[in-house]
Every structure is written in structure tokens, then in C-alpha cells.
Amino acid sequence: MARKMLIDGELEKTNQEDTHYDFDLFVIGAGSGGVRASRFSAQNGAKVAICELPFHPISSEVVGGVGGTCVIRGCVPKKILVYGASFGPELEDARNYGWELNERIDFNWKKLLQKKTEEIVRLNGIYKRLLANAGVKLFEGEGRVVGPNEVEVIQLDGTKISYSAKHILIATGSRAQRPDIPGQELAITSDEALSLEELPKRAVILGGGYIAVEFASIWRGMGATVNLCFRKELPLRGFDDEMRAVVARNLEGRGINMHPRTTLTELVKTEDGIKVRTDHGEEIIADVVLFATGRAPNTKRLNLESVGVELDKRTGAVKVDGYSRTNIPSIWAIGDVTDRMNLTPVALMEGTYFAKTVFGGQPMQPDYNHVPCAVFCIPPLSVVGLSEEQAIEKANGDVLVFTSTFNPMKNTISGRQEKTIMKLVVDAETDKVIGASMCGPDAPEIMQGIAVALKCGATKAQFDSTVGIHPSAAEEFVTMRSLTRRVSASQPRTNL
């Protein structure tokens, strides 16, 4: 069936209309974005195929699995471990609520690991069924592009089969990177960290992003000694500086040893464990060293440059336009492989809009404004919109900042000394709320609702006129009526 794509009000003119293809769409990569794009394209009448590497919890160039990083070795198993790590401190907090607990509380890492693996196997099966139910043909093997309209699948037995497709979509995600330091082979990445045979008693983590602070919280919550090393003064570069400071204070308050402005220079295997040397001359002995130093687009084995697809010279990311189309008209790319905004829900949005644009007759460019996100440290951080620093940089006029810092009601009985902080950033001229952030229990659950308000262009006056739910932490967002500070757009930025 011939299909034409509508962009900017004009039908795409192509000489391919009368050409026969095996598929209307062939997707390489069955992670969140690839599965969404293939299913929704099939629902619009397209004949769709998708290929993915065989399932394994730890990815490599030859194994992966339907569901991709988020489901198998990312967001989902990570969140399961965060839940597991949260119980220890909560059991301690329960004592002041009248729960009489034994002094010794044992934790069974292997049991949690087994349950986590069972869950990702279950989800892997669900994703396969979703594809089958949508009529998408799944090929297990490694896919590579061999022409503008041709994909080669290297099957598990090594044989190669080629398929033609009117459109090819690259959705291969990203892969964890390792810094090039002596002894780097002794360290692990987040892939292995989610499947360790034994829970480490001593851990060193290099990195200051999402993965680093989340695993610091996980391992510390399970009783390990954790040393967190990062290059800046505060972790979570790119987030609101005030919130970064709160996260750092909370991590330290829960017993994590913080090493700001620190990197690792060498790892050495010893009888007692891995000796870690820092650029400050410190030596730390660890059972596990985790490199959480970023991820790179997964493009190396796709053969893209040989068919003319432009890649970013520095990162290897696939270059695309606003519709997720590469410089080769028949080849598209979504998700982390494009290195735009590397979040699972964003890949889902891009996959949805791709299907609507190419097969639904509704050209749509993804909107990257007001995308909420969360860091699942303990307690979590969640944000939407602009940070205070970003607002100051972008604003034409003054920026109004409203904050609330308080002891959560639960902590007043448990005795835990850990404040929750909330912030609203407002454009003084329009009264629109342009940023919101929160660090404290349930922050991601609360911020999802705040994101809807920002997406709708809510003003501070509308926040103030909203009746709160009492008693709750969330009600603070609609009762912050006292201005904390008014900041001029000319104020210099910090470099924390």
C-alpha cells in the first residue's frame, strides 16, 4: 500500500511510490521508543518489522533484549532496588511509631536479585506480546543498515538475511561508557551493578549524575560503605543548584562519603579488594568500583556512515531534524541514539510522533518543553521546567523565586533529620510558573501533576487560588505566597 507523508502542508514527492518493499517500516532496536514507534505505525496500517538482540540482563554488542535499557537494565530494575534499599531506613523509622523490632535486621540480596530478574523477564515477555498483538514481525538478531532502504539482520546462527523497507527507523539507544584509566577493567557499569552476585560491603562510585547518586543511595540503604567521587563541587550538574545542594546534604546525612572535585586515577587489584587512587592522593579499598560517567549513542555497528547518514563527530549520535528524520530521507532515528533528551518517556513521545508523521498523516514535532524528570536517590529529586539558573539566563526581566523548606510530618515522629524543599520559579512579567522542583519523599509522584499545570501555562496566581490537600507535602506548592527572592536577569551564573 503506497503511503505519503505530510510535512508542512505538502505531500512528500517521491519516486518510490511504485516500488515494492518487504516492509513499510523496519525498526532496529526494540527498546521503549522502537516498540512504541513500531506498534503505533502498525496501528496506522503499516507493515512493520523490528529486530533486537537476544535477551540478557547485562548488555553487550551481541545481547540485549526486547524492552531495551529502561526495562531490562535501567529504570525498572533500578527502581526495584531503590524500593528495596528504602525499607532499611524505614524500618528504623518505624521504631518511634511503636513497632518493636529486633536489633538485628537481615537483608537477603540474592532474594531481591531473583525477584528483580523475574520481573524483567516478565516485562520482556509483555513487550514481545505487545508487538505480536500489533502485528509487528519480530526478528531476533543484530540489525545493520546496508542501503537507504535495506536492512541486514545477522541471525543467532550467524546467517545474514536482508530486508527492504520504505522507511528505516534507528532506535538502538545508548551504552554505558568507561573512562580510560589504568585498571579500568576492574570496574563495572550500571549494567553489571544491577546483577551483582554479591552485595558489596564497600563501594566506590565515580560520577555525579543520575546513575551515580541513585546507586549510592541503593548500596548505602542496603548497608554498604559508599564513597561517591565527582568532578564538580556538587552532584547532578544541570539541575537547580539549590536542589543539588540539598541532594548532597541528604546523601551525606545518610552516611555516604562525598568526594567533590575528585576523579579516579588508577585501580589496582589487591588481596583485600580493589585499591582506588584519586587525583588528591587518597587511597580507598573497595569490593566494587562503579563507573557512572555517562553513556554514548549506540551507533558503532550500524554501518550508518557507509550509507551516508550523518553522525555527530564528537558523540556518534545520529543527526536528525525536528521530525526525527536523518539527512537520508528514508532513514529516521529516535531516542538516546540521537542524544537529544535522553529519557524513556521522551523516546516514547518521539516514537509516537514519528508514527503520526510518517503513517498517520499528522506531521508532529516533539515538544521538549516542560518535560518532567526524577532522580531516584533517597529521598528523590524531581523537576519540571527551568531551574533558577536557566530561568535567569533566559529571562528578559526579573525572576521570582518561591521556596518552602520543612520537616515532613512523618519525620516529626520518626526523628529523622531530613528536610523537604520545594521551589517555584516564576516569570515576573507574565506571572507564569516556568519551573518547579522538589526534593523529598514522593517528589516524582507530586511533580507529574505539577508538570500538567506548567504545560497548560499556569500562573502563580492560579497556583495560589488552588485548594490544597491537607495534610500533605504537595499542598506546599499551592501555599507558597511569600516571595523568597527576586532575581535580576543580569545576575551572573554559578559554576558548581
Side-chain angles (χ1 to χ4, degrees), residues 204 264 266-267 274-278 282-286 289:
V204 171
L264 307 187
E266 186 181 23
L267 308 182
I274 303 170
K275 182 187 289 184
V276 179
R277 293 195 176 105
T278 76
E282 297 172 286
E283 292 189 350
I284 308 167
I285 299 294
V289 178

Side-chain angles (χ1 to χ4, degrees), residues 48 65 204 223 241 255 327 331 349 409 483:
V48 182
V204 171
D241 285 347
N327 61 303
I331 301 178
M349 172 178 67
M409 188 177 189
L483 180 66

Side-chain angles (χ1 to χ4, degrees), residues 37-67:
S38 60
R39 289 175 54 222
F40 281 29
S41 296
Q43 288 170 9
N44 279 310
K47 183 181 180 183
V48 182
I50 191 168
C51 71
E52 178 56 71
L53 297 167
F55 172 84
H56 195 279
I58 301 173
S59 71
S60 72
E61 292 180 336
V62 294
V63 291
V66 175

Side-chain angles (χ1 to χ4, degrees), residues 223-366:
T225 298
V226 177
N227 287 273
L228 179 61
C229 304
F230 47 96
R231 290 183 297 175
K232 293 289 188 177
E233 185 63 36
L234 294 169
L236 298 175
R237 180 170 60 90
F239 284 84
D240 187 285
D241 285 347
E242 190 171 11
M243 292 295 162
R244 294 168 67 199
V246 171
V247 170
R249 191 161 62 242
N250 288 344
L251 293 174
E252 203 162 27
R254 289 191 176 234
I256 294 165
N257 302 312
M258 307 288 280
H259 300 265
R261 299 194 181 278
T262 301
T263 190
L264 307 187
T265 58
E266 186 181 23
L267 308 182
V268 180
K269 191 171 185 178
T270 71
E271 289 185 1
D272 189 34
I274 303 170
K275 182 187 289 184
V276 179
R277 293 195 176 105
T278 76
D279 58 346
H280 297 300
E282 297 172 286
E283 292 189 350
I284 308 167
I285 299 294
D287 303 310
V288 163
V289 178
L290 170 64
F291 286 160
T293 48
R295 299 177 65 86
N298 200 9
T299 54
K300 285 184 180 178
R301 294 165 64 95
L302 294 174
N303 198 45
L304 292 171
E305 288 181 296
S306 69
V307 297
V309 175
E310 288 185 13
L311 304 181
D312 183 274
K313 288 184 173 62
R314 185 179 64 86
T315 65
V318 181
K319 289 185 176 182
V320 292
D321 64 14
Y323 293 96
S324 299
R325 195 177 206 172
T326 73
N327 61 303
I328 304 297
S330 57
I331 301 178
W332 310 69
I334 59 170
D336 287 11
V337 77
T338 65
D339 199 27
R340 287 177 284 183
M341 186 177 283
N342 298 337
L343 296 167
T344 297
V346 171
L348 293 172
M349 172 178 67
E350 291 168 354
T352 300
Y353 287 13
F354 162 82
K356 289 183 176 182
T357 297
V358 180
F359 299 107
Q362 304 174 62
M364 298 182 73
Q365 295 192 37

Side-chain angles (χ1 to χ4, degrees), residues 31-318:
S32 299
V35 169
R36 172 65 64 87
S38 60
R39 289 175 54 222
F40 281 29
S41 296
Q43 288 170 9
N44 279 310
K47 183 181 180 183
V48 182
I50 191 168
C51 71
E52 178 56 71
L53 297 167
F55 172 84
H56 195 279
I58 301 173
S59 71
S60 72
E61 292 180 336
V62 294
V63 291
V66 175
T69 297
C70 179
V71 170
I72 298 171
R73 64 194 71 87
C75 329
V76 171
K78 177 271 305 288
K79 186 77 179 289
I80 290 171
L81 297 192
V82 169
Y83 281 134
S86 300
F87 280 109
E90 293 214 349
L91 288 169
E92 292 298 324
D93 291 351
R95 297 183 193 278
N96 280 347
Y97 278 91
W99 291 90
E100 301 294 339
L101 304 171
N102 296 329
E103 287 302 314
R104 180 179 173 83
I105 302 173
D106 293 325
F107 171 66
N108 188 330
W109 164 253
K110 289 186 182 295
K111 183 172 184 178
L112 177 58
L113 192 66
Q114 179 186 346
K115 291 292 185 182
K116 180 272 298 183
T117 302
E118 288 173 359
E119 177 61 9
I120 64 174
V121 168
R122 184 184 75 86
L123 292 173
N124 173 252
I126 286 175
Y127 270 69
K128 286 182 176 179
R129 287 195 294 276
L130 286 172
L131 291 170
N133 291 342
V136 176
K137 175 68 175 175
L138 172 63
F139 295 99
E140 197 166 61
E142 181 181 5
R144 57 200 295 267
V145 180
V146 293
N149 299 96
E150 188 176 359
V151 172
E152 179 182 82
V153 178
I154 305 171
Q155 300 184 111
L156 302 186
D157 61 3
T159 58
K160 299 176 181 179
I161 302 180
S162 293
Y163 299 95
S164 62
K166 185 175 181 183
H167 298 280
I168 298 170
L169 177 65
I170 308 300
T172 49
S174 61
R175 180 163 290 154
Q177 296 299 289
R178 293 170 174 267
D180 186 16
I181 62 173
Q184 58 93 9
E185 70 280 359
L186 299 174
I188 63 172
T189 68
S190 56
D191 282 6
E192 296 88 358
L194 289 161
S195 298
L196 289 174
E197 292 284 331
E198 301 289 339
L199 177 67
K201 294 181 180 177
R202 304 164 298 178
V204 171
I205 301 173
L206 176 62
Y210 285 79
I211 294 170
V213 299
E214 288 170 346
F215 272 100
S217 288
I218 288 167
W219 285 334
R220 181 64 197 138
M222 294 173 178
T225 298
V226 177
N227 287 273
L228 179 61
C229 304
F230 47 96
R231 290 183 297 175
K232 293 289 188 177
E233 185 63 36
L234 294 169
L236 298 175
R237 180 170 60 90
F239 284 84
D240 187 285
D241 285 347
E242 190 171 11
M243 292 295 162
R244 294 168 67 199
V246 171
V247 170
R249 191 161 62 242
N250 288 344
L251 293 174
E252 203 162 27
R254 289 191 176 234
I256 294 165
N257 302 312
M258 307 288 280
H259 300 265
R261 299 194 181 278
T262 301
T263 190
L264 307 187
T265 58
E266 186 181 23
L267 308 182
V268 180
K269 191 171 185 178
T270 71
E271 289 185 1
D272 189 34
I274 303 170
K275 182 187 289 184
V276 179
R277 293 195 176 105
T278 76
D279 58 346
H280 297 300
E282 297 172 286
E283 292 189 350
I284 308 167
I285 299 294
D287 303 310
V288 163
V289 178
L290 170 64
F291 286 160
T293 48
R295 299 177 65 86
N298 200 9
T299 54
K300 285 184 180 178
R301 294 165 64 95
L302 294 174
N303 198 45
L304 292 171
E305 288 181 296
S306 69
V307 297
V309 175
E310 288 185 13
L311 304 181
D312 183 274
K313 288 184 173 62
R314 185 179 64 86
T315 65
V318 181

